[in-house]
Amino acid sequence: MRKTILSVLLGIAVIIIAFVLYNVIVNSKENRRPKPQKVVKTVFVDTVTNGDVPIVISANGNLVAKRRVELFAEVQGVFRPGAKAFKAGQLYRAGQTLIRIDASEYYASVQSAKSNLFNLVTSIMPDLQLDYPEHFSKWQEYLVSFDLEKSTPPLPKVTSEKEKYFITGRGIYTSYYNVKNLEQRLAKYGISAPFSGVLTEALVTEGSLVRAGQKLGEFIETGTYELEVAVPKTYADFLRIGKEVNLTNLDKTQEHKGKVVRVNGRVDQTTQTITVFIEVKGDNLNEGQYLEANLNARTEETAIEIDRSLLLDNDQIFVVRDTILDVIDVNPVYFTDKKVVLKNVPDGETIVSRPVSGGYAGMLVKVFGAPNNETAAK
């Protein structure tokens, strides 16, 4: 009996101790979640000062040689080696031979025709001396000056109708113009450089058979190039021939001065742009080089220029008024890839100069560099 009572009392004591410990543990638990703190973003601002903003149109393109010649063969023959190898990159001075085609067979036929002309003129000399002695001396001088190894000299000028009929009746004019025609064709067996430049393309090699009409290569003048760029039609009136243009390469390591030499009068219907041709000179330029042109179109008065990332939808920008973010309407008048020119922004307005992530009208902000105003922040 005593053991039973002790067991019951011990059980009751254990339950009481467990209940007390439970209450102690529950009451000792603290809420460790920190109270949220109000975050005030810091913004960068600028004070608006309207002024004259130059509108600079940026365009780009590849350089093309201003003077270029595509070389074609007008005669047929074997391509003979010249003083310089006919290969791309080879430099030539004006007048130097670019291409020489074997003309030995054709040259012989030319010499034969020139000999026939000489014989014809010689055959008329006795009759000319008897019938027209007053014209004999000039034809005799012509025979003296006639050299088979040189270009055929012009025939003496006819001064009377009788002399003209006499010369024509002997077939001298026909023979002369036949010779000149052959000489003109003989000259096509060699192609000389029309100006100093470089061979950019060579499609034949020495010893190969060249056919009439075959393209042989391409020759360009170095030092003078043209840049073709597309400009919005809106600014076409400001682009005048002779206007100076600043040009830079991709790395911005080289600067060049160009000038507008031609403006296409036709507007591209798809892009509503006008093609402008800019001439640029420089020994360190190459055909195909990529350049960016900056054309000064006009000056926008009472305007400011900001980053495009600051322009919001519906043509608005952020401003700061007494630590509160707000928006105002603006009038963008010109865009570039990074900048935008705005009008209708009041002087003295405090605008945000860097993008604000998640910003909205009415948002509490702190101006960078301004004194910490805790009262306002609260």
Side-chain angles (χ1 to χ4, degrees):
M1 187 65 179
R2 184 181 292 176
K3 288 183 179 180
T4 302
I5 295 172
L6 289 174
S7 297
V8 172
L9 293 174
L10 183 60
I12 294 172
V14 170
I15 292 173
I16 294 172
I17 293 171
F19 181 75
V20 172
L21 291 175
Y22 171 77
N23 288 330
V24 171
I25 293 174
V26 171
N27 293 331
S28 65
K29 187 177 181 181
E30 297 178 357
N31 186 6
R32 297 182 180 179
R33 180 180 295 176
K35 294 182 179 180
Q37 296 180 356
K38 186 178 291 185
V39 178
V40 180
K41 287 192 176 182
T42 301
V43 295
F44 295 82
V45 297
D46 279 334
T47 302
V48 174
T49 302
N50 285 283
D52 295 339
V53 179
I55 301 298
V56 180
I57 303 173
S58 295
N60 49 61
N62 298 94
L63 291 178
V64 177
K66 186 173 183 179
R67 300 180 67 187
R68 66 189 312 108
V69 175
E70 290 187 340
L71 306 173
F72 284 89
E74 297 184 65
V75 295
Q76 179 172 312
V78 177
F79 185 19
R80 295 303 183 192
K84 292 185 176 182
F86 189 77
K87 295 185 179 296
Q90 184 66 59
L91 295 172
Y92 292 88
R93 294 192 305 273
Q96 283 189 319
T97 301
L98 294 171
I99 296 169
R100 188 169 66 88
I101 300 174
D102 185 14
S104 54
E105 181 179 351
Y106 194 81
Y107 176 77
S109 64
V110 174
Q111 293 302 95
S112 175
K114 290 171 69 174
S115 178
N116 289 336
L117 174 62
F118 185 82
N119 292 337
L120 275 177
V121 176
T122 304
S123 66
I124 68 169
M125 295 305 291
D127 294 336
L128 195 63
Q129 187 176 18
L130 291 175
D131 299 333
Y132 309 101
E134 67 276 13
H135 305 301
F136 177 79
S137 59
K138 63 181 178 182
W139 286 95
Q140 186 177 29
E141 291 176 1
Y142 179 78
L143 287 177
V144 172
S145 64
F146 199 101
D147 189 346
L148 291 176
E149 300 302 324
K150 297 180 181 179
S151 178
T152 303
L155 292 175
K157 185 176 181 180
V158 176
T159 56
S160 69
E161 290 295 324
K162 292 182 179 180
E163 180 189 11
K164 179 180 179 180
Y165 297 148
F166 178 78
I167 298 301
T168 303
R170 298 301 180 93
I172 291 179
Y173 282 120
T174 301
S175 180
Y176 171 77
Y177 287 112
N178 179 53
V179 170
K180 298 303 291 185
N181 180 56
L182 294 175
E183 286 183 339
Q184 288 292 325
R185 189 165 183 80
L186 179 63
K188 296 177 180 179
Y189 280 82
I191 301 178
S192 299
F195 42 77
S196 298
V198 63
L199 190 69
T200 58
E201 186 180 28
L203 302 178
V204 292
T205 57
E206 297 172 355
S208 58
L209 177 63
V210 175
R211 293 177 173 83
Q214 179 180 349
K215 186 177 180 179
L216 308 177
E218 193 172 85
F219 185 72
I220 67 170
E221 182 184 29
T222 56
T224 304
Y225 301 90
E226 283 188 353
L227 183 69
E228 179 181 339
V229 296
V231 176
K233 177 184 176 296
T234 309
Y235 302 99
D237 295 337
F238 301 97
L239 299 175
R240 304 295 183 188
I241 294 177
K243 192 177 186 66
E244 191 173 88
V245 181
N246 295 320
L247 303 171
T248 57
N249 61 352
L250 277 177
D251 301 327
K252 308 296 183 182
T253 57
Q254 296 180 0
E255 293 185 359
H256 304 277
K257 293 290 185 182
K259 65 177 180 178
V260 177
V261 291
R262 297 193 308 280
V263 178
N264 196 336
R266 183 175 63 87
V267 177
D268 190 303
Q269 295 181 357
T270 305
T271 61
Q272 287 298 296
T273 58
I274 291 180
T275 304
V276 178
F277 297 88
I278 302 168
E279 181 181 306
V280 56
K281 298 180 180 180
D283 295 332
N284 56 343
L285 296 173
N286 296 286
E287 185 175 61
Q289 183 177 350
Y290 184 91
L291 290 183
E292 183 175 344
N294 297 312
L295 298 91
N296 295 319
R298 71 167 188 260
T299 299
E300 195 68 50
E301 299 178 351
T302 317
I304 63 171
E305 186 179 46
I306 64 172
D307 290 338
R308 274 188 80 163
S309 59
L310 299 177
L311 184 64
L312 307 176
D313 296 334
N314 302 322
D315 295 337
Q316 294 178 327
I317 61 172
F318 280 127
V319 296
V320 177
R321 292 171 177 167
D322 297 329
T323 70
I324 302 297
L325 206 59
D326 198 1
V327 294
I328 62 171
D329 295 326
V330 293
N331 177 27
V333 294
Y334 179 69
F335 291 89
T336 67
D337 55 343
K338 295 181 180 180
K339 299 287 186 178
V340 58
V341 179
L342 304 177
K343 294 181 73 71
N344 298 342
V345 184
D347 276 324
E349 188 74 71
T350 303
I351 65 172
V352 175
S353 61
R354 295 187 187 179
V356 180
S357 178
Y360 56 89
M363 180 179 179
L364 196 62
V365 294
K366 178 181 183 300
V367 176
F368 177 78
N372 187 11
N373 190 344
E374 295 183 356
T375 304
K378 294 179 181 178

